[in-house]
Amino acid sequence: MSNPINMQLDARTVEILSGITTATLTTLLLKKGLRNVWLRGTRPLRPGQPRLVGRVFTLRFVPAREDLATPESWSSPISTRAAIEDMPAGCIAVVDAMGVTDAGIFGDILCARMAKRDVAALVTDGVVRDVAGVLGTGLPVWCSGAAAPPSVAGLTFVAWQQPIGCGGVAVFPGDVVVVDDDGAVLIPAALLEEILALAPEQERLEAWIMGEVEKGASLPGLYPPNAENKARYLAETAKDRADHN
């Protein structure tokens, strides 16, 4: 089930997106007509984790069916264990758990293996189990919380590297995910270069606006800037923008 997409992001992409908040990304994607890019239910298991960027590696669960969702299924060729062995270094595993919150999709052992394989992070609209152990692996996790029962108590694992829905968002292998304390935001692969070009300027503009607010400026005409404030911004930040171009 490996995907031919190059799963490694180049250093420039990682550097740029590591400096862009997920809030800014949702604004930019909204301007491109994409309203549904924030994966619901993806909260950092440990607050204060660094912002991370990676290509998506998808995994998909469906509702549990008693003849398939069994402990024996963990040894199947189609299993979360096999999927983990297919994960390339640097990817972000995005798991469709259908929002189920009473069955932990991964525990400490699976997360430890992902960490050993240099997977960047785990993102899911479901939950994990063995929380203390998961935290101990050092694998950054964004999820909806914790539950003691194993995945087969409520879910059947069916596939990896296929299109999924996670947190109500359509996610395709090779898309890019950025995660921070606000959650996970999806950047469609086809829009990546455009977002890379726009994001730093949006961050600079918002930083300038924040500086004006701290000086006591009122918001009308400032956020968003009218023609006068836009011209002032361009003049005051000309050198900084030139240095970054």
Side-chain angles (χ1 to χ4, degrees):
M1 291 191 181
S2 295
N3 195 292
I5 295 170
N6 180 8
M7 297 292 286
Q8 292 289 343
L9 290 173
D10 61 79
R12 165 183 163 269
T13 297
V14 173
E15 180 183 4
I16 291 174
L17 292 180
S18 293
I20 309 299
T21 67
T22 54
T24 293
L25 290 172
T26 61
T27 299
L28 290 172
L29 289 163
L30 178 64
K31 290 178 179 179
K32 294 297 172 186
L34 277 74
R35 298 177 180 273
N36 190 32
V37 293
W38 181 72
L39 281 62
R40 299 158 187 83
T42 57
R43 300 183 295 274
L45 191 61
R46 189 201 312 268
Q49 296 175 132
R51 184 174 300 115
L52 297 172
V53 181
R55 290 273 188 198
V56 166
F57 185 98
T58 65
L59 299 93
R60 183 163 66 93
F61 286 88
V62 297
R65 206 178 77 183
E66 287 74 8
D67 62 325
L68 298 175
T70 65
E72 289 74 24
S73 69
W74 294 332
S75 299
S76 166
I78 299 178
S79 66
T80 52
R81 282 76 171 154
I84 288 170
E85 296 306 316
D86 211 22
M87 293 178 183
C91 76
I92 292 182
V94 179
V95 185
D96 174 7
M98 304 176 55
V100 170
T101 57
D102 57 359
I105 58 162
F106 288 167
D108 55 352
I109 294 175
L110 272 63
C111 288
R113 180 58 181 158
M114 292 170 69
K116 284 290 186 184
R117 291 185 60 79
D118 293 323
V119 172
L122 166 64
V123 174
T124 181
D125 55 4
V127 297
V128 296
R129 60 198 302 244
D130 307 310
V131 169
V134 169
L135 291 171
T137 69
L139 178 73
V141 176
W142 276 256
C143 65
S144 288
S151 61
V152 293
L155 294 162
T156 302
F157 181 72
V158 292
W160 64 94
Q161 283 300 71
Q162 293 181 0
I164 61 170
C166 183
V169 177
V171 182
F172 289 77
D175 286 341
V176 173
V177 163
V178 180
V179 283
D180 61 17
D181 273 347
D182 282 355
V185 169
L186 179 93
I187 303 174
L191 289 178
L192 178 60
E193 286 303 319
E194 195 167 358
I195 295 301
L196 289 174
L198 295 172
E201 175 64 13
Q202 182 72 23
E203 284 284 326
R204 280 192 292 271
L205 173 61
E206 293 193 4
W208 181 84
I209 290 171
M210 179 61 80
E212 294 300 298
V213 169
E214 290 173 349
K215 294 174 187 175
S218 59
L219 292 178
L222 177 65
Y223 185 56
N226 56 21
E228 178 186 350
N229 279 318
K230 184 70 171 179
R232 199 156 58 85
Y233 159 73
L234 291 172
E236 292 179 12
T237 61
K239 183 178 186 305
D240 181 60
R241 287 181 292 106
D243 289 344
H244 287 85
N245 290 333

